[in-house]
């Protein structure tokens, strides 16, 4: 069914070209191919069925619950697509100049201000294309700050808690720093003694995800920030988990110096499938002049684009991923401050409700109330691994959560239901998990042989990453 060659028949066609209204001329001999291109020939309806059926094989948030921890797979409102496809935005050309781009620059200006307001920072750059690029942006800003102070030679290390996303140490290394891991304590917080031990004259800064990837709020966050600042280091915030605190906690007021957002997570840019993202970066007084430009500014009634005075330079061509920024702006504008707070409260409520519903079969790794996600373990019975639980969930019609991350919890399962799921969906998912826990004891072969419901069974996932065979 999904092979165009199988339904190909000579002379069939799905295109109807208009009558020629110019003289017919042969393609010059030297431009001709030696062989005719091999193309399938199909009728329009067969073509439509082919692609419609292919599209229905996709798993997406529009079809199913998608509780992928750390990824914030929330519903992406369709109104975002309407605004992003308004002709003035969709057809804007980056070279048409400020004068003819006033509406687009105004949108950038407003979005910068919205993000600065919700995070408590002074200035925002919309340049970076993703969270990881936002991280690199922030650490390069910290690097330039130390360089201008003349102590970059000495300050060569960035501290990174052991619960961090893998992009954090990769970022520090790419920016030329040594990444030093800080362990977590028994409560899932940054180990204060270990942190203070590293707060010396070689410290450039720290990267903190709050709440961290265990779904836990750093209980000593102010003490951590003070210790780093006292040693002359700066504090970077990985804002991927902003969905758990926006409208309630402002990282800029907590003492963070710079932070990125994932518009494609928190602010409903569609994601999954590697589509474009956006990772704006906000900074406080100390670092705002180092932000990458151009940044939108308003002078009188006119909008301009400017480079901050000490900018690290561009991180991306033009103005960032503009179409995703339109979507984020639409989302924030529709919700307003009160709506964003609602989002946070419901994201946290949903995660805690789900955590409570499965606590007897999948107890959380840390016995604390969680933020927008929680981490438990999948080795719930003799011979059962997290992978078995994840694959069995597919048979119950659910996308498995994130597994084997964060690294500090063995056999980790990381569940993030998001605020957009109904109580019924969360209860159905909990019921599936609880049934799987019973099967793990009474019928473990169901887990070992899962998924039973799919055409292909267990795939060589590590092999697929290490030896990709790409074709289209
Ligand atoms: C998703 C994520 C990132 C990276 O963001 P991308 O947009 O995927 O580059 C960084 N840190 C954490 C905690 C994340 O969840």
């Amino acid at each position: 069914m999904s092979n165009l060659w199988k339904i190909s028949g000579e002379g069939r066609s799905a295109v109807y070209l208009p009558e020629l209204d110019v003289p017919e001329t042969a393609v010059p001999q030297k431009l001709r191919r030696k062989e005719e291109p091999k193309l399938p020939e199909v009728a329009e309806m067969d073509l439509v069925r082919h692609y419609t059926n292919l599209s229905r094989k996709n798993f997406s948030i529009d079809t199913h619950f998608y509780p992928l921890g750390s990824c914030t797979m929330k519903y992406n409102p369709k109104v975002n697509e309407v605004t992003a496809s308004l002709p003035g935005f969709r057809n804007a050309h980056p070279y048409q100049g400020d004068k003819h781009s006033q509406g687009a620059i105004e949108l950038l200006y407003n979005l910068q201000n919205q993000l600065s307001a919700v995070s408590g920072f002074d200035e925002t750059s919309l340049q970076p294309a993703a969270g990881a690029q936002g991280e690199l942006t922030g650490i390069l800003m910290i690097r330039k700050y130390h360089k201008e102070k003349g102590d970059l030679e000495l300050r060569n290390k960035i501290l990174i808690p052991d619960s961090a996303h893998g992009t954090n140490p990769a970022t520090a290394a790419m920016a030329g720093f040594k990444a030093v891991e800080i362990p977590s304590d028994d409560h899932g917080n940054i180990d204060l003694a270990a942190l203070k031990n590293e707060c010396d004259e070689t410290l450039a800064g720290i990267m903190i995800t709050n709440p961290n990837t265990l779904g836990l709020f750093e209980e000593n966050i102010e003490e951590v920030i003070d210790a780093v600042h006292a040693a002359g280091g700066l504090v970077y915030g990985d804002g991927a988990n902003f969905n758990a605190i926006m409208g309630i906690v402002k990282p800029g007021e907590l003492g963070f110096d710079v932070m990125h957002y994932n518009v494609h997570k928190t602010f409903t840019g569609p994601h999954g499938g590697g589509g474009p993202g956006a990772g704006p970066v906000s900074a406080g007084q100390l670092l705002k002049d180092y932000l990458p430009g151009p940044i939108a500014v308003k002078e009188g009634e006119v909008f301009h684009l400017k480079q901050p005075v000490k900018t690290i330079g561009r991180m991306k061509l033009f103005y960032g991923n503009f179409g995703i920024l339109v979507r984020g702006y639409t989302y924030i504008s529709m919700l307003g401050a009160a709506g964003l707070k609602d989002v946070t409260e419901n994201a946290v409520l949903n995660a805690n409700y789900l955590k409570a519903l499965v606590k007897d079969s999948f107890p959380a790794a840390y016995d604390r109330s969680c933020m927008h996600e929680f981490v438990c373990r999948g080795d719930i019975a003799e011979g059962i691994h997290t992978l078995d639980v994840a694959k069995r969930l597919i048979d119950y019609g659910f996308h498995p959560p994130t597994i084997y991350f964060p690294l500090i919890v063995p056999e980790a399962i990381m569940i993030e239901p998001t605020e957009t799921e109904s109580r019924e969906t969360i209860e159905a998912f909990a019921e599936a998990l609880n049934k799987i826990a019973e099967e793990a004891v009474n019928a473990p072969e169901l887990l070992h042989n899962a998924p039973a419901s799919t055409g292909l069974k267990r795939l060589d996932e590590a092999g697929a990453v290490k030896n990709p065979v790409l074709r289209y």
Side-chain angles (χ1 to χ4, degrees), residues 40-175:
E41 296 176 66
V42 289
E44 182 171 329
M45 190 186 71
D46 293 333
L47 191 68
V48 167
R49 280 192 187 154
H50 170 76
Y51 284 110
T52 304
N53 284 326
L54 271 187
S55 78
R56 285 161 63 175
K57 289 187 193 298
N58 271 347
F59 190 100
S60 75
I61 194 68
D62 283 356
T63 59
H64 293 87
F65 182 43
Y66 209 150
L68 212 54
S70 210
C71 294
T72 311
M73 306 301 288
K74 61 167 76 175
Y75 174 67
N76 305 147
K78 296 298 167 249
V79 65
N80 291 352
E81 303 308 312
V82 176
T83 53
S85 54
L86 289 172
F89 291 139
R90 188 188 57 210
N91 301 334
H93 192 284
Y95 282 145
Q96 74 196 27
D98 291 5
K99 189 170 165 221
H100 300 291
S101 310
Q102 285 294 298
I105 303 175
E106 181 175 359
L107 182 142
L108 298 175
Y109 177 80
N110 290 344
L111 178 58
Q112 287 169 194
N113 289 343
Q114 286 174 338
L115 292 175
S116 296
V118 73
S119 60
F121 285 105
D122 296 291
E123 188 64 87
T124 298
S125 169
L126 304 171
Q127 275 253 304
Q133 206 190 18
E135 290 175 35
L136 182 62
T137 302
I139 298 302
L140 289 176
M141 289 163 65
I142 289 176
R143 186 188 167 85
K144 190 158 187 199
Y145 170 85
H146 287 309
K147 192 169 184 196
E148 290 191 352
K149 284 189 83 181
D151 53 4
L152 184 62
E153 300 258 299
L154 188 62
R155 296 191 181 272
N156 63 359
K157 73 178 175 191
I158 297 277
L159 308 183
I160 298 173
D162 59 2
S163 59
H165 196 260
T167 48
N168 289 190
T171 291
M174 269 188 84

Side-chain angles (χ1 to χ4, degrees), residues 227-245:
V228 171
H229 281 160
L234 296 183
V235 181
Y236 181 82
D238 177 328
N241 290 343
F242 202 46
N243 213 50
I245 57 169

